[in-house]
């Protein structure tokens, strides 16, 4: 671990991420900069703005802070984000593509819960939430178990998406969504 109070060289790296294994695939060629915003008041708990020079389509990107201090090089993940680049045409000049990217929770927010969907009474809250999230995101999901049961049928509102529905469900067990730097 570097001594953050002392001088060091700092750079940043960006990698595409395999959604099945959650491992880095390859460095992003032409990665220029990124701004990471962690926002606990946001539904998706944060976002990023990434400047790159290549069209990647839709993929997960992981951003690292790279430090070099006393000859020791270390990488620290800053976040993993779902990005969608738009196709561009090349006119012979160097181009920069600015991409808005979101935490993996965006995949839950994008899809509405079917009308009439409910979790039956006495189902385990966290086991049910785990299954819902696992089925609706490509990112890996950590399973947490509790003894908390659903008291009464837990019915989706007509304006719920999978994120709001699951967030409200896990609140019954006094849990909330969180993300680490890996996503």
């Amino acid at each position: 671990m570097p001594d953050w109070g002392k001088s060091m060289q700092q750079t940043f790296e960006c990698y595409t991420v395999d959604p099945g294994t959650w491992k880095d695939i390859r460095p992003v060629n032409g990665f220029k900069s990124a701004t990471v915003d962690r926002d606990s008041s946001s539904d998706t708990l944060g976002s990023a703005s990434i400047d790159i020079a290549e069209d990647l389509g839709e993929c997960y990107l992981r951003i690292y802070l790279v430090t070099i201090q006393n000859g020791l090089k270390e990488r620290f993940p800053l976040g993993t984000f779902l990005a969608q680049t738009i196709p561009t045409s090349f006119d012979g000049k160097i181009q920069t593509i600015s991409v808005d990217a979101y935490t993996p929770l965006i995949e839950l927010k994008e899809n509405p819960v079917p009308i009439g969907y409910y979790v039956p009474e006495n189902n385990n809250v966290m086991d049910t939430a785990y299954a819902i999230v696992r089925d609706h995101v490509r990112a890996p999901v950590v399973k947490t178990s509790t003894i908390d049961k659903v008291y009464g049928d837990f019915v989706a509102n007509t304006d719920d998406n999978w994120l709001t529905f699951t967030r409200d469900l896990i609140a019954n067990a006094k849990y909330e969504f969180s993300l680490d730097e890996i996503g």
Side-chain angles (χ1 to χ4, degrees):
M1 181 69 87
D3 182 344
W4 297 105
K6 294 190 177 179
S7 176
M8 72 183 76
Q9 183 181 3
Q10 293 182 357
T11 59
F12 297 89
E13 294 177 351
C14 185
Y15 287 80
T16 57
V17 175
D18 181 329
T21 64
W22 215 235
K23 293 181 180 179
D24 296 344
I25 299 173
R26 68 172 184 85
V28 173
N29 298 320
F31 171 68
K32 298 181 182 218
S33 67
T35 302
V36 175
D37 179 25
R38 296 198 184 284
D39 183 0
S40 61
S41 67
S42 152
D43 284 346
T44 60
L45 303 178
S47 61
S49 180
I50 304 168
D51 291 335
I52 55 177
E54 69 175 305
D55 179 8
L56 299 171
E58 182 179 277
C59 64
Y60 276 105
L61 299 175
R62 183 169 295 130
I63 303 164
Y64 290 94
L65 166 65
V66 180
T67 63
I68 301 174
Q69 187 178 62
N70 301 326
L72 179 62
K73 181 177 180 178
E74 296 180 83
R75 289 187 333 163
F76 300 93
L78 299 177
T80 304
F81 302 93
L82 180 61
Q84 193 173 46
T85 57
I86 54 173
T88 59
S89 58
F90 182 67
D91 64 0
K93 299 177 184 178
I94 295 176
Q95 66 182 2
T96 298
I97 303 169
S98 291
V99 179
D100 290 330
Y102 302 92
T103 68
L105 294 176
I106 193 71
E107 291 183 305
L108 291 173
K109 188 176 180 180
E110 291 177 336
N111 297 305
V113 177
I115 293 175
Y117 185 86
Y118 74 100
V119 176
E121 181 177 5
N122 292 322
N123 274 23
N124 183 289
V125 171
M126 295 309 290
D127 289 348
T128 303
Y130 168 77
I132 290 170
V133 174
R134 180 199 62 214
D135 291 346
H136 291 91
V137 299
R138 292 175 280 181
V141 180
V142 175
K143 186 174 184 176
T144 302
S145 291
T146 67
I147 60 170
D148 296 293
K149 304 281 185 190
V150 176
Y151 298 104
D153 293 343
F154 190 81
V155 181
N157 294 320
T158 56
D159 61 344
D160 268 338
N161 55 49
W162 288 113
L163 180 59
T164 58
F165 180 79
T166 311
R167 184 186 62 217
D168 294 344
L169 176 64
I170 66 176
N172 286 299
K174 297 181 177 48
Y175 276 82
E176 60 186 32
F177 282 114
S178 67
L179 296 168
D180 63 11
E181 292 76 18
I182 297 296

